[in-house]
Amino acid sequence: MPELFATKIGTPLAERLRAGSLSDVVGQEEILGDNGVITNMLESGNVKSMVLWGPPGCGKTTIAKLVAKYADAEFVSASAVFTGVAELKKIFAEAADRRLAGRRTILFVDEIHRFNKAQQDSFLPYVEDGTITLIGATTENPSFELNSALLSRAQVVVLKRLSPEALKRLLVRATTEMGKPLPLDADATDALVNMADGDGRYLLNLIEYVYDFSKGKTLDKAGLAKLAQTRFPNYDKGGDAHYNLISALHKAVRGSDPDAALYWVSRMIAGGEDMKYLLRRLTRMSVEDIGLAEPAALTRAIASWQAYERMGSPEGDLVVAQLVIYMATAPKSNASYAAFGKALADAKSTGSLAPPAHILNAPTKMMKDLGYGKGYEYDPDTKDGFSGQNYFPDGLARREYYKPNGKGYEAELKKRIDHWTELRKKKAT
């Protein structure tokens, strides 16, 4: 059998530099260093099924191969994109034969999240009886993309995007492998690392491209940009990054940090986010996190949405940026959000309680005879413009759902509610 990491003529640079030992893997010290989860597995001799979750080019395939090498197991690779049920059955049968012969099989499945539920379920009996040790790789959140049954039988190991320092270590290895300096000046080299955006494989492919097409010239930053163009940030509008970035934007707005909020909304816009989705979420923030502390926030959100629809991009992008600044600097209150949640819970739990008779209309004599409308006080005609009557159903004690926090416009609302509370107490006595 050929050596697993043997160098071949014409092999891409990224493959030639694939780490041959765990100590050679860059940027994943938390899982591969002392007391790292994979280190502990290998040292104990008990390698369990796992799901490697991380961004592109962070070393998932390399780590899977090295785990098989250190565990002295047969490494079998499959891709969820190209492998069907028939191929999986063949892999399982061969693994069963291997097991009878006393050899372990580690099955590596790239992009495992692309398998449907039935395909994912097909792994379960073979993982349970030890026929295979499954190592899945995914760029998507396993909680959303993988069956709970499969997740319960595999440990999720989180890999990080490579830091600039880790990428620079790869760059040094690449120049050593190529046997000559990288034909870039210092600024262009830094730009090259930034263009990789944490993706080690992309960096090495880009380095190889620069060597091949620089034509012996040392390129500056402008020359590199012309040669390699610009890589868009790693952003999948339907993937995990999409939800992570909208979460970051939401937290920055809620935390009244306009600068961080601008950064995250810019990341989303640069990544090609669906602006309808973005503006819908911003409109939601205007009522969830700002609420009645600044009632105009909802009006501004809707106006910004309409303005963007009329202007489009790039002119309308500034409208969105301005809305984000406004919302981040507005006073915050989730009192309406919390009040609605409590009221909704009571509405669901109390069933079909009828309104009290005194607030029901009585258009017929029979309804009047039943007491509908009896004793109702018309608030504008009372001395204080407030009757203090009960509007909750009979059998449900009065609730206090809405509690304004006294910020922004809610300071005025709090005064009113406190005043009405005192009047209600006086009338009750």
Side-chain angles (χ1 to χ4, degrees):
M1 176 179 146
E3 173 59 35
L4 183 64
F5 300 107
T7 299
K8 297 179 181 179
I9 297 174
T11 302
L13 178 63
E15 187 62 30
R16 301 205 306 269
L17 288 180
R18 191 182 292 279
S21 66
L22 291 174
S23 60
D24 290 336
V25 178
V26 301
Q28 306 301 341
E29 289 77 15
E30 285 191 17
I31 62 171
L32 298 177
D34 293 340
N35 292 320
V37 59
I38 291 181
T39 303
N40 290 340
M41 276 190 192
L42 293 172
E43 288 180 349
S44 68
N46 184 21
V47 177
K48 298 180 179 179
S49 292
M50 66 184 87
V51 175
L52 303 177
W53 172 30
C58 66
K60 297 185 289 295
T61 302
T62 296
I63 290 172
K65 288 185 175 183
L66 289 171
V67 167
K69 179 182 178 183
Y70 278 72
D72 192 25
E74 185 77 15
F75 181 82
V76 178
S77 179
S79 170
V81 177
F82 302 110
T83 306
V85 174
E87 290 87 353
L88 286 176
K89 288 182 178 179
K90 182 179 178 182
I91 289 172
F92 296 147
E94 291 174 348
D97 291 341
R98 223 175 273 122
R99 185 184 181 200
L100 291 175
R103 184 161 177 77
R104 184 177 190 175
T105 299
I106 287 183
L107 173 59
F108 174 68
V109 180
D110 196 18
E111 298 188 273
I112 191 171
H113 61 276
R114 293 184 181 273
F115 274 136
N116 61 35
K117 184 180 185 300
Q119 289 170 317
Q120 290 182 29
D121 286 343
S122 70
F123 291 105
L124 299 179
Y126 302 100
V127 171
E128 286 183 338
D129 68 9
T131 300
I132 61 168
T133 299
L134 176 66
I135 301 182
T138 179
T139 57
E140 303 299 325
N141 191 326
S143 300
F144 302 140
E145 303 296 336
L146 299 184
N147 295 348
S148 57
L150 186 59
L151 279 179
S152 68
R153 293 163 175 79
Q155 181 165 355
V156 176
V157 180
V158 181
L159 280 68
K160 296 180 177 179
R161 67 191 296 273
L162 300 188
S163 66
E165 292 73 23
L167 291 173
K168 287 177 182 178
R169 287 163 60 190
L170 282 180
L171 192 150
V172 171
R173 292 182 188 177
T175 56
T176 301
E177 171 70 18
M178 298 300 290
K180 53 186 176 181
L182 187 65
L184 298 175
D185 65 19
D187 288 341
T189 300
D190 288 339
L192 182 77
V193 171
N194 290 333
M195 288 172 69
D197 194 26
D199 185 333
R201 181 172 54 250
Y202 181 82
L203 175 74
L204 295 175
N205 290 340
L206 195 53
I207 288 172
E208 191 167 27
Y209 186 76
V210 169
Y211 273 115
D212 290 342
F213 295 98
S214 61
K215 299 179 180 180
K217 298 178 181 178
T218 298
L219 303 176
D220 58 12
K221 195 173 179 179
L224 172 65
K226 185 177 180 180
L227 178 68
Q229 302 302 316
T230 301
R231 186 189 194 201
F232 286 103
N234 177 29
Y235 188 74
D236 180 355
K237 289 185 287 184
D240 203 46
H242 163 83
Y243 297 104
N244 286 343
L245 265 61
I246 192 62
S247 176
L249 173 61
H250 199 150
K251 302 301 193 303
V253 168
R254 181 183 293 158
S256 300
D257 189 335
D259 299 311
L262 268 178
Y263 171 78
W264 292 117
V265 78
S266 297
R267 280 278 301 275
M268 297 183 78
I269 292 172
E273 180 57 77
D274 179 354
M275 298 302 285
K276 182 178 180 181
Y277 168 83
L278 181 56
L279 284 159
R280 179 172 64 82
R281 289 299 299 264
L282 287 168
T283 302
R284 166 71 182 196
M285 293 176 210
S286 73
V287 291
E288 179 180 339
D289 298 290
I290 298 172
L292 292 174
E294 181 75 345
L298 175 58
T299 303
R300 292 207 180 194
I302 295 298
S304 298
W305 195 339
Q306 293 173 336
Y308 184 87
E309 288 179 338
R310 285 163 171 75
M311 298 170 68
S313 183
E315 291 85 353
D317 295 347
L318 180 58
V319 175
V320 179
Q322 182 171 290
L323 175 63
V324 166
I325 294 171
Y326 167 79
M327 291 177 60
T329 54
K332 307 296 188 300
S333 173
N334 71 338
S336 297
Y337 179 65
F340 175 63
K342 294 174 183 176
L344 190 61
D346 271 353
K348 291 178 178 179
S349 65
T350 54
S352 303
L353 293 178
H358 69 276
I359 66 172
L360 296 177
N361 292 329
T364 68
K365 182 178 182 301
M366 183 189 73
M367 296 169 78
K368 288 180 181 179
D369 291 342
L370 291 173
Y372 282 30
K374 185 178 181 179
Y376 173 67
E377 296 181 54
Y378 185 62
D379 287 73
D381 288 344
T382 62
K383 177 183 177 182
D384 299 303
F386 179 79
S387 68
Q389 286 192 301
N390 175 50
Y391 300 101
F392 279 90
D394 294 333
L396 179 65
R398 176 171 183 78
R399 301 288 201 262
E400 292 184 7
Y401 300 127
Y402 179 57
K403 298 180 180 179
N405 64 15
K407 296 175 184 175
Y409 181 69
E410 279 199 333
E412 176 61 29
L413 298 182
K414 188 175 187 305
K415 290 179 184 178
R416 297 179 195 176
I417 289 176
D418 289 346
H419 173 63
W420 292 330
T421 299
E422 289 303 314
L423 287 177
R424 190 177 286 111
K425 288 178 180 178
K426 288 179 181 179
K427 291 178 182 294
T429 57

